[in-house]
Amino acid sequence: MAFFTRFLNSPLWALVRKEVQQILRNKQLIVLLIFPPTIQLLVYGFALNPDVHYLKMGVVDYAQTIESREIVAAMTENQIFQVEQVLTSESQLARQVETGKVTAGMVIPPEFSRDLTQQKTAEIQVLLDGVDANTAGIANGYINQILQQYVLRRSNTTLPIETHVTFLYNQGLISSWFFVPGVMGLVLTLIGTISSAVIVVKEKDTGTLEQLLMTPAEAWEILLAKVVPMFVLLTGDVLLALSIGRGIFGLPFQGSFPLFMLLSGLYLFVGIGVGIMLATLCESQQQVVLTTFFINLPMVQLSGAIAPIETMPDFFRYLSLLNPLRHYITIIRGILLKGVGLEALWMHALALATIAIVVMAISTDRFRKQLS
Amino acid sequence: MKRIISQVTKELAQFRRDRLTLALAFLLPFATLLIFGFAIRLEAKDIPLVVQDFDRSYYSQTYIQRLFVTNQFTPIAWNDRQPIAQALDEGLAKAIVIIPHEFSRDIKGGKVGEIQVLVDGTDANNARVIKNSIKAFTNSFAQTQGLLPENPPIAARSRLWFNPGRQESLYIVPGVYAVVLWIFPSLLSAIAMVREKEKGTILQVYASSLSATELILGKSFAYLLIALMMGFCVMGAGALIFHLRFAGDPTPYLLTTPVYLWTAVMFGLLLGARSSNQNSAVQGVSIIGFLTSFLLSGFIYPLSNIPFPLSLLPNIVAARYYIDVTRDAFVRGTGWSSVWIDLLMIILLGAFYLHVTRKAMSRMQLNT
């Protein structure tokens, strides 16, 4: 009890009350904490869609036989291609691919059916728009697969070796399940660094930091009083992001909720720490926003939120091990989608904790030095 | 005209004095180009894969050997005593290939040999690619072992246009130009506009004989000059590092770029004029600018994948039109016939921003 009254009389408690009141009065901060994360989650979640489907295809069918029409029908069967135009000449088709009107073009030569019945290899010409190299490669694979399936169906045989593929964790292969957890991490990074940096630098900007120094409060108390309310507010953002992910994108939650909150809390400390560190480097709010941009851009790009890490060049792949966001995204994907716990994620949790401690130590040290 | 020019020199002098912003203005676009250009690779390569071979026969060994010859998969060693699915749980591997005991017996006996594959489905797109490539590999394996005819009854002869080597940087880097040259010019001009308002110097401008239009034009031309320098640096670096060359007639590109940069600057001025303080202006530009130019422009994934009603938004995103122009200039090379409409749309958007900014400025002048 005595301890409690001492706490209520301490400068720390007074500072916490001051910060909470300031935050509550700061409508702009509340708006900043709610709207940008929501909009970002929605736009990223819906717009990041790598599915290869309904690719526009132009067809020139010189053969005009039952088989050639069957091939055209087979192409559209799986919604991967969409036959946009049936053209009459190859040069017309070439023009369409050139201008990007169609992504793929298929030319069935006049001798197609004859070759097929005479057991010769019947050739089909395929033109692909290679500007988007990745999509072109995938489309090419699909075309070969569709042709092979057609051949098997026609000759009523099966393949000599069957490949049975089972998808774990995401049987329906819904792309947003992969991207939305990544975007959750991204949103928390942006909002955590910017809002905490702005709060600290504002005090510097307006010169009230010197006034705080006149009070009996210690530097660590000033800082802690800033961190605690920020942390509580950002926890609200974690829940907001999670409910949008669950409610709108239908994300599963396979793992443990307490573990999710615990590690998210750890990640918030990283965000706040980075924010404070940037605030100690900058003199004005404008500089803070620019420098957070400078930090956040590589952090987001090298995290696997948007483009998978495995495909990056070695240098960037190793560099990404130092990126707290990378570990956090691996953790939430693991908890939400795979339902794994610390036994599988301990390395990432450990990395996150180490980074959090280092960042916090550096930023409090810089903050204290600046005060004295 | 003279007043606009003196306004331009004033802006440039002010810009030069702010060292940090100056440094960031040239460092940030360059860093962004490098990170995007090198780190965004969509094609799946070096996929970590665990193989469990229960058969240990000639067929299964050859199968495994050939699987890793292509650089698509990298073998991951796994201790057989631990449950194999753990490799996926821990994220050490993306797929597991299991060859059952009876694999070679079945093949020799003329029955269907079976291969089991477990794929981590969290990254749905990658999972699909893994499935397709293992299937395609199995078929080509069957062909080399004489189980499938060497010459299939139907064969596709594919030709890849514009990019026969499937270099991904040809797709990404022209897109990076559009993203970088939208975000940074608009960010800088928004800051310049709000700074004037916050410091109160805008009142002095109001008191002078400068009209709202002259003020806006002066500011926009000053930042257009800065943006042009920025664009020159970024594209020079892009040409040197990623070996981008003009594929055809460069005039559409050379003409559209200044118009696009000016539109970006106007977008920044617009948000700067409409928001009350610097923080919200910069936040607005960075969030809206980034979301639109990065996500709603077709930079990474095709625009046709965006669901309705969000799919309507890209129609008013200038970056989306500019990406068409840059990809045409550096990869396709078809020239004016396919991109004139893009230039027209960018001009329309720029004119619209100018109009709205002018309105906002005149209203402010009346209110103060």
Side-chain angles (χ1 to χ4, degrees):
Chain A
M1 202 58 211
F3 173 76
F4 194 63
T5 42
R6 239 183 73 202
F7 175 70
L8 284 183
N9 288 325
S10 73
L12 179 61
W13 177 242
L15 280 169
V16 168
R17 273 178 43 207
K18 167 209 157 248
E19 290 293 335
V20 169
Q21 274 170 6
Q22 257 180 354
I23 285 171
L24 288 181
R25 236 179 303 142
N26 189 349
K27 289 259 165 53
Q28 217 194 330
L29 184 69
I30 306 286
V31 170
L32 182 72
L33 283 169
I34 294 174
F35 286 105
T38 311
I39 294 171
Q40 279 169 324
L41 261 169
L42 291 178
V43 176
Y44 270 95
F46 282 119
L48 279 181
N49 186 349
D51 291 352
V52 174
H53 59 182
Y54 298 118
L55 292 181
K56 289 181 187 147
M57 186 183 236
V59 174
V60 181
D61 184 359
Y62 287 128
Q64 295 287 351
T65 54
I66 299 173
E67 287 85 2
S68 72
R69 269 175 285 229
E70 275 176 348
I71 293 272
V72 175
M75 286 292 163
T76 52
E77 225 165 51
N78 294 322
Q79 281 101 45
I80 289 158
F81 297 102
Q82 184 182 356
V83 172
E84 191 74 356
Q85 270 160 327
V86 178
L87 301 152
T88 47
S89 79
E90 224 178 306
S91 59
Q92 241 182 340
L93 179 69
R95 205 49 232 125
Q96 298 274 321
V97 177
E98 223 170 67
T99 51
K101 295 240 166 50
V102 297
T103 315
M106 182 166 71
V107 182
I108 306 178
E111 63 277 9
F112 177 74
S113 292
R114 203 189 58 215
D115 284 348
L116 200 60
T117 42
Q118 288 177 354
Q119 311 285 325
K120 275 198 274 182
T121 297
E123 286 190 1
I124 289 178
Q125 262 193 65
V126 174
L127 304 176
L128 289 164
D129 179 352
V131 175
D132 178 354
N134 181 45
T135 305
I138 294 174
N140 194 26
Y142 276 124
I143 290 177
N144 283 323
Q145 234 177 62
I146 291 170
L147 290 180
Q148 192 185 38
Q149 266 157 16
Y150 173 76
V151 167
L152 289 176
R153 214 164 32 189
R154 218 176 103 82
S155 59
N156 224 341
T157 48
T158 49
L159 284 172
I161 304 172
E162 250 340 313
T163 329
H164 293 283
V165 178
T166 316
F167 294 113
L168 270 68
Y169 318 122
N170 181 4
Q171 273 90 358
L173 291 187
I174 306 165
S175 323
S176 60
W177 285 16
F178 176 69
F179 286 106
V180 173
V183 178
M184 284 165 61
L186 181 160
V187 164
L188 290 177
T189 310
L190 298 183
I191 199 73
T193 47
I194 291 186
S195 53
S196 53
V198 163
I199 275 198
V200 174
V201 100
K202 205 169 164 194
E203 206 104 39
K204 258 163 86 170
D205 235 3
T206 49
T208 42
L209 202 56
E210 279 80 17
Q211 293 173 14
L212 278 182
L213 280 177
M214 307 291 189
T215 62
E218 302 273 343
W220 67 269
E221 285 176 317
I222 297 175
L223 199 61
L224 192 64
K226 287 202 174 297
V227 168
V228 171
M230 212 53 235
F231 182 77
V232 174
L233 284 176
L234 287 172
T235 310
D237 265 339
V238 172
L239 293 172
L240 175 75
L242 182 64
S243 16
I244 291 176
R246 301 266 292 140
I248 293 178
F249 294 102
L251 277 189
F253 200 117
Q254 308 283 4
S256 133
F257 184 70
L259 185 67
F260 173 80
M261 288 312 287
L262 182 80
L263 293 174
S264 296
L266 199 57
Y267 186 65
L268 289 182
F269 273 113
V270 178
I272 295 173
V274 171
I276 293 174
M277 188 149 62
L278 292 178
T280 57
L281 292 171
C282 299
E283 289 305 318
S284 68
Q285 293 194 33
Q286 164 205 337
Q287 290 184 344
V288 156
V289 180
L290 275 179
T291 39
T292 41
F293 211 81
F294 193 63
I295 294 285
N296 284 334
L297 204 90
M299 215 156 120
V300 167
Q301 281 317 311
L302 302 178
S303 68
I306 291 162
I309 293 175
E310 290 84 25
T311 55
M312 289 176 194
D314 284 344
F315 171 73
F316 286 104
R317 239 187 10 225
Y318 290 119
L319 194 67
S320 76
L321 288 175
L322 295 174
N323 183 352
L325 183 57
R326 182 227 159 126
H327 296 290
Y328 180 60
I329 288 177
T330 311
I331 287 172
I332 51 177
R333 277 189 189 135
I335 295 178
L336 292 177
L337 305 179
K338 296 184 178 177
V340 291
L342 272 182
E343 75 288 346
L345 299 171
W346 64 270
M347 271 204 328
H348 299 287
L350 193 68
L352 204 57
T354 317
I355 296 170
I357 291 167
V358 170
V359 167
M360 270 305 198
I362 294 176
S363 58
T364 41
D365 186 55
R366 284 196 56 94
F367 186 75
R368 215 170 33 210
K369 278 210 185 107
Q370 247 177 22
L371 284 188
S372 51
Chain B
M1 196 60 213
K2 214 172 141 199
R3 280 189 297 213
I4 296 181
I5 292 173
S6 53
Q7 166 86 357
V8 170
T9 34
K10 174 223 141 202
E11 287 293 334
L12 289 179
Q14 243 174 9
F15 179 74
R16 254 211 329 266
R17 242 178 292 141
D18 186 350
R19 282 295 151 83
L20 184 83
T21 315
L22 187 70
L24 287 179
F26 286 90
L27 219 73
L28 265 172
F30 186 65
T32 315
L33 174 75
L34 288 186
I35 291 173
F36 280 168
F38 279 117
I40 299 186
R41 286 286 172 275
L42 304 172
E43 195 187 357
K45 269 188 306 193
D46 302 322
I47 300 159
L49 182 94
V50 175
V51 179
Q52 208 171 25
D53 181 7
F54 289 111
D55 191 34
R56 293 178 191 281
S57 65
Y58 163 75
Y59 277 124
S60 69
Q61 297 289 329
T62 330
Y63 183 90
I64 295 165
Q65 231 176 47
R66 296 248 166 112
L67 184 60
F68 292 118
V69 167
T70 59
N71 61 355
Q72 204 162 17
F73 300 100
T74 322
I76 300 287
W78 189 256
N79 182 351
D80 280 343
R81 266 162 297 178
Q82 277 170 297
I84 191 128
Q86 216 172 308
L88 295 186
D89 275 349
E90 289 180 17
L92 295 173
K94 290 279 165 217
I96 298 170
V97 170
I98 303 167
I99 305 178
H101 285 297
E102 56 281 0
F103 182 65
S104 56
R105 207 185 56 207
D106 281 345
I107 292 178
K108 282 180 200 147
K111 279 196 275 183
V112 177
E114 283 187 8
I115 300 250
Q116 297 285 341
V117 182
L118 299 177
V119 180
D120 178 346
T122 38
D123 181 352
N125 185 46
N126 232 335
R128 232 176 261 131
V129 172
I130 294 173
K131 172 189 158 188
N132 289 343
S133 52
I134 292 185
K135 279 203 159 172
F137 167 76
T138 308
N139 289 333
S140 76
F141 172 76
Q143 254 171 22
T144 56
Q145 299 301 311
L147 303 168
L148 266 179
E150 193 76 48
N151 295 311
I154 303 178
R157 298 274 170 266
S158 303
R159 266 194 302 160
L160 236 65
W161 280 24
F162 312 120
N163 187 3
R166 279 174 60 190
Q167 257 180 293
E168 277 203 276
S169 55
L170 278 183
Y171 178 64
I172 298 289
V173 178
V176 177
Y177 291 170
V179 176
V180 166
L181 297 182
W182 182 263
I183 296 177
F184 297 107
S186 59
L187 205 58
L188 292 178
S189 65
I191 289 174
M193 189 62 143
V194 189
R195 191 167 39 196
E196 196 112 41
K197 267 160 74 177
E198 277 195 342
K199 294 222 168 115
T201 45
I202 196 103
L203 292 176
Q204 294 166 15
V205 176
Y206 294 159
S208 73
S209 58
L210 207 62
S211 76
T213 316
E214 283 168 337
L215 170 74
I216 297 165
L217 286 179
K219 272 202 194 304
S220 70
F221 286 138
Y223 278 88
L224 175 62
L225 282 178
I226 295 166
L228 279 172
M229 271 193 284
M230 201 190 261
F232 194 73
C233 292
V234 167
M235 290 176 185
L240 282 178
I241 300 169
F242 298 102
H243 310 291
L244 248 59
R245 297 284 179 273
F246 286 116
D249 178 15
T251 50
Y253 172 76
L254 295 177
L255 251 152
T256 314
T257 303
V259 179
Y260 178 69
L261 290 173
W262 184 77
T263 307
V265 169
M266 280 311 303
F267 174 71
L269 290 181
L270 167 67
L271 287 192
R274 298 207 60 134
S275 51
S276 53
N277 66 40
Q278 197 161 285
N279 213 354
S280 63
V282 174
Q283 287 281 337
V285 172
S286 62
I287 290 176
I288 298 175
F290 202 71
L291 283 183
T292 54
S293 66
F294 187 75
L295 291 172
L296 301 176
S297 64
F299 168 47
I300 302 189
Y301 299 121
L303 280 176
S304 53
N305 280 353
I306 301 175
F308 184 83
L310 193 65
S311 59
L312 294 176
L313 269 180
N315 291 324
I316 52 163
V317 173
R320 171 248 163 111
Y321 299 108
Y322 186 62
I323 280 193
D324 277 348
V325 177
T326 52
R327 286 197 179 135
D328 193 84
F330 293 110
V331 194
R332 262 184 226 284
T334 48
W336 278 114
S337 60
S338 54
V339 298
W340 63 270
I341 182 101
D342 296 305
L343 176 58
L344 188 70
M345 287 307 293
I346 296 172
I347 292 176
L348 283 179
L349 283 166
F352 173 72
Y353 294 149
L354 174 64
H355 177 70
V356 180
T357 319
R358 223 173 51 197
K359 277 247 163 107
M361 291 298 287
S362 352
R363 203 169 328 125
M364 271 178 353
Q365 248 163 327
L366 288 179
N367 289 346
T368 40

